[in-house]
Amino acid sequence: MLTADAAEAFTEAPGGLYDKDVAQRLRQNVFSVGNTVDPADGYRAFRGRDPKIDALMRKRGFPVPGESKKPARVRKPKN
């Protein structure tokens, strides 16, 4: 859940997966602190909120309550 939510922090950023500001926040608040702070507090400092399961649900193809479902792509059979 944390990995999927953290990845969405990058996809939501203007720089996408390579956004330097998001990477710096992740490094400063999660990776570099190790066990010197509570991991939940470090993640909150990085993301600005608690992690949400929505990102993991989307990643695995499950519907997320409150989001509109994209229509399924219909393929034409080959003749």
Side-chain angles (χ1 to χ4, degrees):
M1 182 173 87
L2 293 175
T3 303
D5 192 65
E8 280 200 354
F10 284 92
T11 59
E12 293 166 0
L17 293 174
Y18 300 99
D19 191 88
K20 290 182 180 183
D21 293 333
V22 176
Q24 182 178 9
R25 283 197 330 265
L26 180 62
R27 197 171 35 253
Q28 287 176 342
N29 296 298
V30 178
F31 295 151
S32 68
V33 296
N35 270 343
T36 61
V37 299
D38 182 281
D41 293 336
Y43 191 84
R44 267 186 229 105
F46 157 62
R47 195 70 162 110
R49 60 167 174 75
D50 286 327
K52 296 180 182 178
I53 197 165
D54 297 357
L56 181 61
M57 298 295 283
R58 276 189 289 277
K59 181 179 178 182
R60 294 191 176 172
F62 290 100
V64 177
E67 289 186 359
S68 62
K69 185 177 179 181
K70 293 180 183 177
R73 186 176 172 200
V74 178
R75 295 182 185 200
K76 292 183 179 182
K78 293 182 179 181
N79 293 330

